[in-house]
Amino acid sequence: MFKRSTLSTAIAWALGGLAGVYLTAGHAADATTPAKAAEEQTTASSAPTLAKVTVTAQKREETVQEVPTSISVLSGDKVRDTSLQSANEVTRFIPNASAGTSEGHGRPRWWIRGLGTGDQGANTVSPVGIYVDDVYIANISATGFPLFDQERVEVLRGPQGTLWGKNTTAGAINFISRKPTFEQSGYFKAGIGDYNDRVLEGAVGDTLVDERLAARVAVRHQGRDGYSDNLNDGNDSGTIEDDAARLQFLARINDDLDATLNLHARSYHDTGGYSTVSYGLRPNGTNQFGYFIDPEKGKVNYNAKYETDIDQAGSNLNLVWQLGSLELTSITAFEHFQRESWSDSDNTPLELQRGYGDVDAKQWSQEFRLTSPREDRLNWVLGFHYFNEDLDSESANAALTNPYIPRSYNNTTYNQGTESYALFGSTTYSFTDDFNVTAGLRWTRETKDIDFVRRQNQGQANFNGADWWKLGTVSTPLVVNATQDESNTWSDYTYDLTPEYRLSDNARVYFRYAYGFRSGAYNTGAVSQATVATVDPEYLTSYELGFKSEWFDGRLNANAALFYYDYEDIQLNIVTAVNNQTVSRLANGAEGEAYGAEFELEAIPVENLHLNFALGLLHTEFTDYTSGNDDFSGNKFVRAPNVSAVIGADYRIPLNVGGAIILGTDWNTRSRQYFFSNDQSQNMRSGGYTLGNARVTYELPGETTRVTAYVNNLTDKEYRNHTLPGGFQTAAVMFGDPRTVGLSVTTDF
């Protein structure tokens, strides 16, 4: 375990030099792990070829090149060997996608092609559908889970409402874990890095009863000191402890029926998350009280408790019946998520604001799918999906003893229940061997009811006890200034139509027309009765033209997609400072458009060299957007850079004594992006930046054990991950991760 040191600096310089020499030699880039290069390149002939990647994006197994939609796939080996820690980090390799987070490994903000939501209300549903082993996860805060023992991650762009259920106007991301088999397998990984980073993870699977029962258990632990020093108390800010486990059983009940039971849990703790620093907006850099702090990366100044605790647990039972030529799938799932957090909301040593939040969410879902054989001229998928969630939330803000302002307190509690039913189907008809058409339809009915109450102090607040956030500690009379007791039901159809034509044995073109909607919601950020609101559904019409191809006997894959979005009644989070408190208000009614393109190349130009390149081009604009007396028409969508690109490479050097050296690097660049739809001033945006990573792996003879040294953020680029408007003429900037250096050992068995 080590903090920044001479050793870490030496490794950084060594890897940086290798990456520089490597790129100077003319080697491009990679977004795929090299650890299994021998397997990926093995064919009947001696020439290396790209592996065929199997996905279930259309609820049945197909190779990714055969799926007529824009999709990117990360293998589980790549996730492990590039040391991706949290779910949101997968977008590091995906063009036109991002998932910034405002704290450690929690609360990701998911965006695909400019569509997403920055609203962090527990009841806000993202237009990017997040799935774990085909189970939909509703609560955004529950989607920052650690990545371990993954089979693959599938990222689908564009509306996916037909087959992927709720609110997937922007796209769907499915995290698929490795399943038990009747063969022994497993791995162990240990890693250390600067900032006292330490990772232990592993998995083992084997047969318990011959050909009848198998199991697989996987565990992971990560601990890390904070990236920032708290000037107020001298401690680290941003420390992380993240523990997770998954236990799965596979039962072959008979020749036609398999059952997989998945049990999983997570416990997470952090202090302060990212380096969040407030700075004054007055010309001399001070706030309204004349207080000045230099917004320096790695230096924070908190005088209040800043912590987050998350506990998650869940289970799902997957049954697969073979009914003659048909297959019936049942997925029953339950998830429980709890999150409690405290924050120094003003991010200064002044006693201006403290924040508290507590969320308890329980969801269960049931899905049935009946599918016909994919090879039939007419093939189809029919299904039913049920979803139920019970959500309780409490939040509080207060200003305690302070010479500048009077003591204040407010408390918001709500319970929201959600119940959703959907019938869906998709069918493909092959008119000829080269031409087919896929059509999908889904009907969804969703009911949400809410019981919302907001209270605030009347007169100067007085507190009896250290637990200031609790209603019982406030001795001052409280008044209800906002309430809502309401139930609403929304229902609508989503659909898509996709003709596809095979130009040759190695090239296909498709056109996809899709219509999606995100159901209505409630504004739980209301601060007065006037801001209590029920938000209508939003709608998206998408047009996409795509091309997929393979060249040079399987050594090059080249894909491209052009798209246009017509976006109506957009649900937006409008972030402002109200009464010197940062408030995120959910509203809708805006209209906008987005268009762009993605280009993806994967190649093995010569033996042992694997290259990847992905480019995303995006134009977004609110064509009609007013809020009160303000007109924001012409603003850009949030977190929608005009250009995003990924380039990387892995080169394997076999050694005469056995084993190999593998050199790897990947680079990610993004142009300017905005954090809010309403405020797009210089203070509320991020300039363009490029992040590079490098690694050197020694693969021991036998190809089962690998030792890897790595550097992330190779150039130690300072960039903004998020910015928030604050009260008292301030703003808060959250910096992205600094350069980190580490070493890991991985053994497969």
Side-chain angles (χ1 to χ4, degrees), residues 422-466:
L423 296 171
F424 62 90
S426 180
T427 183
T428 300
Y429 183 75
S430 299
F431 290 90
T432 69
D433 290 343
D434 296 326
F435 178 67
N436 64 64
V437 176
T438 299
L441 178 67
R442 188 183 195 102
W443 176 80
T444 301
R445 176 183 173 89
E446 183 163 279
T447 299
K448 293 182 179 179
D449 56 75
I450 191 167
D451 183 4
F452 171 93
V453 179
R454 186 182 190 272
R455 300 174 176 87
Q456 69 179 34
N457 60 291
Q458 190 174 32
Q460 184 159 276
N462 293 307
F463 301 90
N464 297 320

Side-chain angles (χ1 to χ4, degrees), residues 519-542:
S519 65
Y522 301 111
N523 173 35
T524 56
V527 295
S528 66
Q529 196 61 43
T531 57
V532 170
T534 298
V535 178
D536 294 330
E538 65 177 21
Y539 301 91
L540 179 73
T541 304
S542 165

Side-chain angles (χ1 to χ4, degrees), residues 136-181:
Y136 172 70
I137 306 298
N139 195 303
I140 300 175
S141 296
T143 61
F145 40 78
L147 297 177
F148 63 108
D149 201 31
Q150 295 286 300
E151 179 67 32
R152 65 185 181 277
V153 181
E154 301 177 8
V155 181
L156 291 79
R157 304 181 192 91
Q160 305 294 329
T162 301
L163 289 175
W164 284 96
K166 291 169 50 60
N167 302 297
T168 49
T169 47
I173 304 178
N174 192 19
F175 296 87
I176 303 168
S177 62
R178 294 190 186 275
K179 301 299 186 293
T181 66

